[in-house]
Amino acid sequence: MPLIFGKSGEEFEVTTIQGGKGFLKKLMEMGIYSGIRVRIILNPGNGPIIIALSDTRIALGKGMAAKIIVRKLS
Amino acid sequence: MTNALITKGKTINVALAGNPNAGKSTIFNALTGGRAHVGNWPGVTVEKKEGRFKYKEYEFLVTDLPGTYSLTAYSIDERIARDYVTKEKLDVVVSVTDSTNLERNLYLLVSFLELGVNSVLDLNMADILEQRKVRVNTKKMEELLGTPVVMTSATKKAGLNELKEMIIRSKDRKIQPLRIDYGKEIEEAIKKVKESLSSINSPYPVRFLSIKLLEGDIEIIKEVRGLGYERSVEVAMHEGSRLEIGFGYDLETEIIERRYGFIESIIRQCVRRVPTIEEKLTVSDKIDGIVTNKWLGIPIFAFLLWTTFQLTFTVGGIFADFIDTFFGWLAESSAIWFASIGVPGWLSSLVGDGIISGVGAVFVFLPTILILFAFLSFLEDVGYMSRAAFVMDKAMHAIGLPGKSFIPMILGFGCNVPAIMSARTISSEKDRLLTILINPFISCSARLPVYVMFTGIFFKSNQGVVLFTLYMLGIAVAVLSAKLFKSTIPKLKGPVSPLVMELPPYRIPTLKGVSIHTWERGREFLKKAGTIIFAGVILIWLLATFPMSSEYASETTLIGLIGKFFAPLFRPAGFPFWQAAVALLFGIIAKEIVVGTFGTLFGGEGALSASLLKYFTPLSAYSFMVMSLLYIPCIAAIGVIYRETNSWKWTTFITAYSLVIGWVMATVVYQVGSLLI
């Protein structure tokens, strides 16, 4: 499912990232790539979200979060 | 000559590189004893900063680079960092990494190592690792990476001598570029590209070039083409599509993932993590839950801004009164003293009417400005600024800008010059241009004296409210102009670049940090008051004195003639007298001069309020403030717009636009106001 549909506090594993090459590369170089675990810190709905990448917090626009496909971890 | 040679051998050229927020500036300050501003939002260092220090018999020349994630440059600040590391003759590059997020931080180091850069890995924030009982086997890491590793904690000033020692020891190291195994298929492709590049004359290792070509790195493709190896680019493209068809690889992502795979294996071998219980939300996250809340976010932001202005006013006013009294006394006593020692009248007038009245009128606002800066520094150092960008992202999208361009807007409240420069962190060129173009409408602190002077006389009981409306008007004009430009200027059209931004953890700012930051900005103001405003005031005095036959600062002096020429222009806006036209004209040098000019033309602080009351009504005072708010901030701002856009066309455009919009708005305020009152 796209990351944007996740709820605050849920944890995910990134499976694929869709989108143009530049976008993909930038995200990967920021540490978001398939296999990595991310947690949604805040998803207010209808706007950007905040995710956690171990200790780092990254704000992601809605459009970007919609292109990151994840698998929910229990 | 020989001397120079000896010192040359003893000078070590070091650059600090790393991800944003990894603590480069903190390390830089700890090493150099410097006072580089350590901010708490990504992109504080938009230009490289240099410092020196001596350790043992060596002179270290240290450069603090803007934060970057990789060797791919997406924005100007990243390009500065990348070019510096790849093109300068550096002895050692210290790769400053945030130990709490090793995977991503090591990615940059690995890129350096593949390039064959002589690096020292600095695992910063080691104290946090210790707290969490995470063990790092640095010996093993050195072996696997083939590069020295040091642990530091810059905030606690630990490990710095070890770092210096390590830099000295590794400065003459023979470097072999790191070789990551990309797997059989990719390695074959690398080999083919490598063969096609044989005997290329490039400073980069051939393997590095081959990998970058396969990754489709635009800059490297250009470089290789420039050297006449067009065919290699084709070979790389061919190999890329071959792998994509044959194995379903997306080569770019595959290469990045292999690199991460290499990093992960190193971390597995060198880092022992004591398993922790389910990660809890940190304090930072809890604060974020409130300040970035869907409903509360924007009200909290507005409240913080409003409080800032209210307090700036109340507290600043107390100090301003003291300074005011002091300059009044100074002007009076200087006149008496000059008369007693028989100094000619014109000199006494230059000092009294010109310098003391003019510069004094500006100096009165120093406390107010320092307090405003202190508040902005505080919000920045706490880490709130990037949250403001987050909160505003949606709203900014509506006007055709990314949330990130809100940071330059907020910084504009301090001074438009650094604010315009900070737009460098915006990766999309059209978003950056638009951000620069609307920045002058954000009311900088140089305009504050104008408001303080007028509201102090005409709006005594509700200064804060009037001030707030002016700031809001500035924002509104910026926003509407953005919308207008975006929809009419072809070069600025197109979708807004999406938000990806790191949010630094909240920190309790140190008194020292905030004071240094405030002082740095306040010093700029003082410097300006001492130089450009001083010169402006003397110029005004001269123009107000000649021809000598006329009375000082009267209509028949040069300045009066200039003012009278422009004055009719401002009739619709409600201030058609020459003093106002002169003040606005000289305000282009620096906005504070508007106040200084009134000070000089109306004979100092004391007489000022009586004279202004004679010429202005509250309504025309307000329309005058609107004009002062909106027309081009100052020469320095024009200069920086030119430098950052590298285009006279845009610079002229925005200067003219701001003059027109200022006049139109002032006129609208005055005309509509006249109907209502």
Side-chain angles (χ1 to χ4, degrees):
Chain A
M1 70 181 232
L3 185 61
I4 190 72
F5 296 133
K7 292 190 186 68
S8 307
E10 290 179 340
E11 206 167 338
F12 303 91
E13 188 187 293
V14 176
T15 51
T16 48
I17 303 173
Q18 301 169 339
K21 291 211 164 173
F23 165 77
L24 198 71
K25 205 166 169 186
K26 165 121 204 190
L27 275 186
M28 291 183 85
E29 288 174 347
M30 280 187 87
I32 304 169
Y33 53 94
S34 58
I36 205 87
R37 293 170 77 163
V38 298
R39 200 152 46 93
I40 295 183
I41 297 294
L42 197 84
N43 185 358
N46 200 24
I49 67 171
I50 301 177
I51 60 164
L53 210 68
S54 55
D55 272 13
T56 314
R57 300 291 178 266
I58 295 175
L60 281 179
K62 202 171 118 190
M64 290 205 124
K67 288 178 183 163
I68 300 172
I69 309 301
V70 293
R71 186 171 61 84
K72 195 173 164 196
L73 299 171
S74 45
Chain B
M1 185 71 198
T2 40
N3 233 346
L5 276 176
I6 289 168
T7 42
K8 200 174 173 237
K10 297 267 182 182
T11 302
I12 308 178
N13 215 337
V14 185
L16 304 178
N19 287 178
N21 286 311
K24 291 175 298 298
S25 295
T26 318
I27 293 265
F28 178 83
N29 287 352
L31 284 176
T32 60
R35 297 184 303 181
H37 169 234
V38 181
N40 202 13
W41 56 269
V44 177
T45 316
V46 288
E47 269 187 302
K48 51 187 197 290
K49 268 183 217 147
E50 288 182 348
R52 285 168 186 277
F53 69 94
K54 278 209 165 80
Y55 179 73
K56 295 196 167 159
E57 69 271 35
Y58 296 97
E59 166 103 22
F60 285 68
L61 177 62
V62 193
T63 311
D64 181 20
L65 297 174
T68 177
Y69 294 107
S70 67
L71 286 174
T72 326
Y74 297 97
S75 56
I76 297 178
D77 55 327
E78 288 174 323
R79 193 174 310 148
I80 291 170
R82 202 261 316 263
D83 286 354
Y84 197 77
V85 170
T86 55
K87 302 213 166 106
E88 292 293 313
K89 292 261 168 285
L90 293 165
D91 293 308
V92 177
V93 171
V94 176
S95 175
V96 182
T97 61
D98 170 359
S99 305
T100 60
N101 191 344
L102 270 178
E103 281 87 351
R104 192 187 72 184
N105 278 264
L106 286 181
Y107 186 87
L108 180 65
L109 172 79
V110 163
S111 310
F112 288 158
L113 295 178
E114 282 192 288
L115 180 61
V117 171
N118 188 4
S119 313
V120 167
L121 170 57
D122 172 9
L123 296 174
N124 195 22
M125 309 194 188
D127 50 323
I128 300 177
L129 290 188
E130 204 167 304
Q131 256 175 39
R132 298 194 186 157
K133 303 197 163 44
V134 177
R135 290 269 164 73
V136 181
N137 184 344
T138 49
K139 276 271 156 326
K140 180 107 189 176
M141 201 177 255
E142 284 184 347
E143 253 167 56
L144 293 171
L145 285 167
T147 207
V149 180
V150 187
M151 295 186 88
T152 59
S153 166
T155 45
K156 300 217 158 63
K157 297 208 190 304
L160 293 170
N161 279 343
E162 287 84 340
L163 176 61
K164 292 174 197 169
E165 290 287 343
M166 196 59 98
I167 293 170
I168 295 171
R169 246 182 295 154
S170 45
K171 71 182 169 58
D172 297 318
R173 234 158 43 95
K174 285 272 166 296
I175 304 302
Q176 276 302 347
L178 176 72
R179 223 191 123 94
I180 294 173
D181 184 3
Y182 285 100
K184 194 167 152 267
E185 292 87 18
I186 298 177
E187 284 297 335
E188 264 170 33
I190 293 174
K191 204 175 143 210
K192 279 196 190 130
V193 180
K194 243 174 103 175
E195 278 162 8
S196 77
L197 282 169
S198 65
S199 73
I200 189 169
N201 183 22
S202 157
Y204 304 121
V206 183
R207 184 179 162 86
F208 173 83
L209 284 179
S210 316
I211 296 167
K212 284 287 153 192
L213 286 183
L214 288 168
E215 273 186 85
D217 187 302
I218 294 159
E219 307 272 332
I220 296 292
I221 290 176
K222 261 191 233 157
E223 177 118 8
V224 168
R225 274 200 180 128
L227 290 165
Y229 282 77
E230 178 66 43
R231 209 183 69 82
S232 304
V233 179
E234 276 163 28
V235 171
M237 272 159 75
H238 174 79
E239 286 301 306
S241 47
R242 187 179 63 85
L243 288 176
E244 214 161 324
I245 296 160
F247 301 91
Y249 281 176
D250 173 28
L251 201 51
E252 272 180 50
T253 50
E254 192 67 27
I255 288 175
I256 298 174
E257 277 180 6
R258 298 277 173 158
R259 237 174 247 146
Y260 273 119
F262 171 78
I263 291 164
E264 275 162 9
S265 88
I266 287 181
I267 292 174
R268 261 200 309 279
Q269 293 175 67
C270 308
V271 181
R272 217 182 63 219
R273 291 177 214 240
V274 176
T276 45
I277 327 151
E278 179 66 23
E279 270 181 88
K280 273 183 289 183
L281 286 182
T282 61
V283 180
S284 260
D285 294 332
K286 283 180 191 152
I287 299 172
D288 276 339
I290 302 164
V291 302
T292 63
N293 179 286
K294 191 165 37 164
W295 308 111
L296 295 176
I298 292 177
I300 288 175
F301 174 60
F303 173 77
L304 283 174
L305 222 53
W306 186 78
T307 313
T308 301
F309 296 133
Q310 277 294 339
L311 285 175
T312 299
F313 238 109
T314 343
V315 185
I318 301 168
F319 291 99
D321 285 344
F322 284 116
I323 298 183
D324 192 12
T325 317
F326 171 75
F327 275 99
W329 168 83
L330 195 66
E332 243 171 71
S333 9
S334 82
I336 297 168
W337 186 67
F338 277 138
S340 72
I341 57 168
V343 165
W346 66 268
L347 184 60
S348 174
S349 161
L350 170 63
V351 175
D353 298 333
I355 298 169
I356 297 178
S357 306
V359 174
V362 175
F363 247 89
V364 169
F365 305 102
L366 181 65
T368 318
I369 281 166
L370 285 181
I371 292 165
L372 178 66
F373 280 153
F375 274 112
L376 288 179
S377 305
F378 177 81
L379 286 181
E380 192 177 321
D381 290 359
V382 164
Y384 181 72
M385 287 300 198
S386 47
R387 273 71 184 188
F390 177 87
V391 165
M392 294 303 293
D393 189 67
K394 219 179 115 194
M396 294 294 281
H397 267 260
I399 62 164
L401 276 171
K404 235 184 172 178
S405 52
F406 205 67
I407 292 171
M409 283 176 82
I410 301 169
L411 291 183
F413 289 129
C415 175
N416 298 113
V417 172
I420 287 167
M421 282 172 65
S422 73
R424 287 182 184 181
T425 55
I426 298 166
S427 48
S428 149
E429 202 44 44
K430 74 178 164 20
D431 291 345
R432 191 175 76 90
L433 183 59
L434 190 53
T435 306
I436 291 172
L437 291 180
I438 63 167
N439 201 276
F441 298 119
I442 302 302
S443 188
C444 69
S445 60
R447 279 166 256 191
L448 192 54
V450 185
Y451 312 149
V452 177
M453 180 176 76
F454 278 98
T455 53
I457 296 168
F458 295 96
F459 304 97
K460 273 203 182 92
S461 51
N462 40 15
Q463 270 185 296
V465 178
V466 170
L467 190 73
F468 188 70
T469 61
L470 285 165
Y471 276 87
M472 285 300 138
L473 178 68
I475 296 173
V477 169
V479 164
L480 293 174
S481 301
K483 223 166 160 63
L484 180 70
F485 296 164
K486 184 99 183 169
S487 54
T488 52
I489 301 173
K491 209 191 156 190
L492 297 173
K493 280 183 186 164
V496 180
S497 57
L499 174 79
V500 208
M501 183 179 55
E502 217 172 309
L503 301 176
Y506 287 100
R507 280 198 297 236
I508 296 171
T510 59
L511 185 62
K512 194 180 154 208
V514 173
S515 349
I516 287 174
H517 197 180
T518 306
W519 170 239
E520 270 176 3
R521 289 170 162 180
R523 200 179 48 196
E524 286 305 305
F525 174 81
L526 280 181
K527 238 199 254 164
K528 221 160 62 173
T531 53
I532 199 161
I533 294 173
F534 184 80
V537 160
I538 289 184
L539 180 67
I540 292 163
W541 179 84
L542 281 173
L543 291 173
T545 303
F546 292 101
M548 290 285 252
S549 54
S550 309
E551 198 189 326
Y552 175 74
S554 67
E555 286 181 72
T556 47
T557 55
L558 288 175
I559 207 164
L561 297 176
I562 298 172
K564 269 162 79 182
F565 179 77
F566 286 107
L569 260 177
F570 297 109
R571 184 168 303 282
F575 39 89
F577 42 92
W578 63 271
Q579 291 93 335
V582 170
L584 289 173
L585 187 66
F586 283 95
I588 296 178
I589 301 174
K591 278 279 163 81
E592 299 94 329
I593 290 187
V594 170
V595 172
T597 313
F598 279 122
T600 311
L601 294 184
F602 290 136
E605 275 287 292
L608 193 58
S609 58
S611 310
L612 287 178
L613 276 168
K614 212 162 67 195
Y615 285 95
F616 285 95
T617 63
L619 180 60
S620 66
Y622 193 81
S623 72
F624 185 84
M625 287 192 283
V626 168
M627 179 72 201
S628 304
L629 160 71
L630 296 175
Y631 82 103
I632 199 77
C634 61
I635 289 178
I638 297 175
V640 80
I641 291 172
Y642 172 67
R643 209 179 66 197
E644 297 295 307
T645 59
N646 201 14
S647 146
W648 282 119
K649 202 182 83 194
W650 288 115
T651 312
T652 318
F653 165 71
I654 201 61
T655 307
Y657 176 83
S658 78
L659 283 167
V660 171
I661 209 86
W663 183 86
V664 169
M665 287 306 291
T667 302
V668 167
V669 164
Y670 186 72
Q671 296 299 337
V672 173
S674 301
L675 290 177
L676 294 178
I677 293 170

